[in-house]
Amino acid sequence: MAINYTTRNNPKKTDDKQGLGMKIIYFALNFILVPFSAYQTYVGYEKFLGGENSSFSIAALAIAAVSGLIFFGLNYTIMERRVAGKPHLKHIFGYLLPLAISFFGNFNSIYSAQMKGELVADELSIYSTTLNNTYNTAISEMDKSTGLFDLKTNLDAELSNLKFQMETPPKGYGKEADKKWKEIIKLFSDYNLEYNGSSTTNMTRIHVKTYDNFQNAATSYFNALQKSKIADLDRILDPVKANYKKVNDRYDLMVKNDSIKAGGFQMLEDLRKTNNDLIGNPVKSYLGSLNKVDFKFTELAESDVRQLSNIGHSLESAFVKWENPVATFFASFFSLIIDLIPLGFLFLVFPYNSNKRKNATTGPRSL
């Protein structure tokens, strides 16, 4: 006589085969990596949108939250359907949506963090060199604007000629020496007319006509002119020198302390403003008012590196300019792996078996 019987799958036994440890790892990855990905997404989009504005920060937070919730939902849904033996291909393709959202935020955050020090350091060096050139050229052109260098050169030559005339027999102050002295007076007169707007020359009258007295009178008058001109220059140059020293000392200290990552962006802007607004343009305006020197300097534009936290800038730097292929690879790799590891473990921990959809009880069998 045949005996009919049925067999029943033991779900508990099947579940045990999956391994409790692997399940713990899977759920831990979801509760660690998904929030971490959401945070990185928030950081990347906050920088892109403009983190200093609270409304933009809220927008970045919303984007990150949506991305994280979709990841959680898809991971859980795919897990359920695999366990039940149901198809879930379209859910896997749905993974592309939050992945696309999070990738750009993650990539921007990771790539800009890697490149910030390198790119900022390079541009800081360029900005600092430009500032030094502007400052040195400004000082030089301001000195030239006084005409004192040429005046001193010509005065020394004329005094040398006067001395020669007064020491050549017959020695003393004769017609030729008087001619040379008048040429010295005219030298000062021409200078005053060109640089001071009047040809008046108030020199000490010489009663005892010795060379030393002529030399002392000419030198004293030159020193008076020089003192007056330096006083005029100092009204412009004192703040120029102070501003240059202030920002240059800060830059040197930043390089010495290796704190470029912390304050590099602000230093770029400070160097730019000092070069353009505190040195270049004031000196150019002053020299332009004298109509003596056409002062030209390299005006610094706003730093391109300051846009490093912009998603577009990061993508251009990484995939168009290839400024650092290693940084591009690591940023791309980690931006993807952060989100794909939970999905990979899902496939590993919960193997898919379409037969599970069938009734757990088999048909009757006979012995």
Side-chain angles (χ1 to χ4, degrees):
M1 176 179 176
I3 301 175
N4 294 329
Y5 69 95
T6 60
T7 61
R8 183 180 298 274
N9 288 332
N10 188 343
K12 185 176 181 180
K13 186 176 180 181
T14 302
D15 289 343
D16 289 341
K17 291 180 180 179
Q18 296 167 2
L20 179 61
M22 294 296 287
K23 289 182 180 179
I24 292 175
I25 294 175
Y26 168 72
F27 285 109
L29 288 174
N30 271 274
F31 285 106
I32 294 174
L33 290 184
V34 174
F36 178 72
S37 173
Y39 171 73
Q40 287 293 99
T41 301
Y42 165 74
V43 171
Y45 278 99
E46 184 192 34
K47 292 178 179 179
F48 167 59
L49 295 173
E52 296 180 356
N53 189 309
S54 60
S55 62
F56 290 138
S57 295
I58 293 173
L61 183 62
I63 293 172
V66 168
S67 172
L69 288 173
I70 294 176
F71 274 127
F72 269 127
L74 283 174
N75 286 340
Y76 186 77
T77 301
I78 294 172
M79 178 194 72
E80 280 189 321
R81 297 185 71 85
R82 284 181 70 83
V83 170
K86 297 179 180 179
H88 48 276
L89 182 61
K90 64 180 181 179
H91 299 85
I92 295 176
F93 279 111
Y95 223 79
L96 294 175
L97 174 61
L99 188 64
I101 295 174
S102 69
F103 175 81
F104 293 108
N106 286 341
F107 183 86
N108 185 37
S109 176
I110 296 171
Y111 182 80
S112 60
Q114 291 182 87
M115 294 296 290
K116 183 177 179 180
E118 177 182 336
L119 295 182
V120 171
D122 290 344
E123 191 151 53
L124 276 172
S125 178
I126 295 173
Y127 271 43
S128 177
T129 299
T130 302
L131 174 62
N132 289 336
N133 290 339
T134 298
Y135 174 76
N136 292 328
T137 303
I139 297 297
S140 176
E141 293 300 326
M142 288 285 281
D143 287 340
K144 288 181 183 178
S145 71
T146 64
L148 290 172
F149 178 80
D150 291 339
L151 177 62
K152 185 66 166 62
T153 300
N154 294 330
L155 177 61
D156 289 342
E158 292 298 338
L159 285 173
S160 179
N161 291 334
L162 176 61
K163 183 177 182 180
F164 176 79
Q165 290 297 332
M166 295 185 71
E167 292 181 351
T168 300
K171 296 180 180 182
Y173 186 75
K175 290 183 179 180
E176 291 298 322
D178 182 66
K179 181 179 178 182
K180 291 299 177 183
W181 179 243
K182 288 179 179 178
E183 289 177 359
I184 291 174
I185 294 176
K186 186 176 185 304
L187 186 65
F188 284 121
S189 179
D190 291 343
Y191 175 85
N192 284 335
L193 181 62
E194 182 176 359
Y195 289 91
N196 295 323
S198 173
S199 60
T200 302
T201 303
N202 298 319
M203 293 185 64
T204 303
R205 187 179 296 275
I206 308 298
H207 298 288
V208 180
K209 293 179 171 48
T210 63
Y211 173 75
D212 287 342
N213 288 340
F214 285 117
Q215 183 189 39
N216 289 336
T219 302
S220 296
Y221 190 69
F222 174 82
N223 290 339
L225 289 174
Q226 185 179 50
K227 184 178 180 180
S228 174
K229 286 298 179 183
I230 289 177
D232 290 339
L233 289 184
D234 285 346
R235 290 188 295 103
I236 304 299
L237 288 183
D238 281 349
V240 164
K241 292 176 180 179
N243 289 321
Y244 171 78
K245 185 178 187 304
K246 179 180 178 181
V247 74
N248 202 49
D249 287 349
R250 284 177 49 220
Y251 173 67
D252 290 342
L253 184 62
M254 175 178 288
V255 173
K256 181 180 178 180
N257 293 337
D258 195 22
S259 57
I260 288 176
K261 279 191 175 183
F265 282 171
Q266 184 59 50
M267 179 56 67
L268 282 170
E269 183 63 11
D270 292 344
L271 289 172
R272 185 184 75 85
K273 287 184 177 179
T274 301
N275 181 82
N276 297 351
D277 302 335
L278 302 180
I279 296 180
N281 286 322
V283 171
K284 183 174 184 177
S285 177
Y286 174 79
L287 293 177
S289 68
L290 300 178
N291 295 319
K292 299 297 180 185
V293 181
D294 183 18
F295 175 66
K296 296 179 180 179
F297 69 100
T298 301
E299 194 161 355
L300 290 173
E302 185 171 344
S303 168
D304 181 57
V305 174
R306 284 173 57 82
Q307 305 302 316
L308 180 61
S309 297
N310 183 295
I311 291 177
H313 183 281
S314 294
L315 294 176
E316 180 183 9
S317 172
F319 297 106
V320 178
K321 296 180 179 179
W322 286 96
E323 292 182 304
N324 191 325
V326 175
T328 299
F329 170 78
F330 277 106
S332 301
F333 176 76
F334 285 110
S335 297
L336 292 172
I337 206 68
I338 288 171
D339 295 324
L340 294 180
I341 282 181
L343 183 63
F345 263 80
L346 191 157
F347 293 148
L348 179 65
V349 177
F350 302 99
Y352 174 67
N353 185 356
S354 61
N355 291 329
K356 292 181 181 179
R357 286 179 296 169
K358 297 178 181 180
N359 196 307
T361 304
T362 65
R365 295 186 181 182
S366 300
L367 287 177

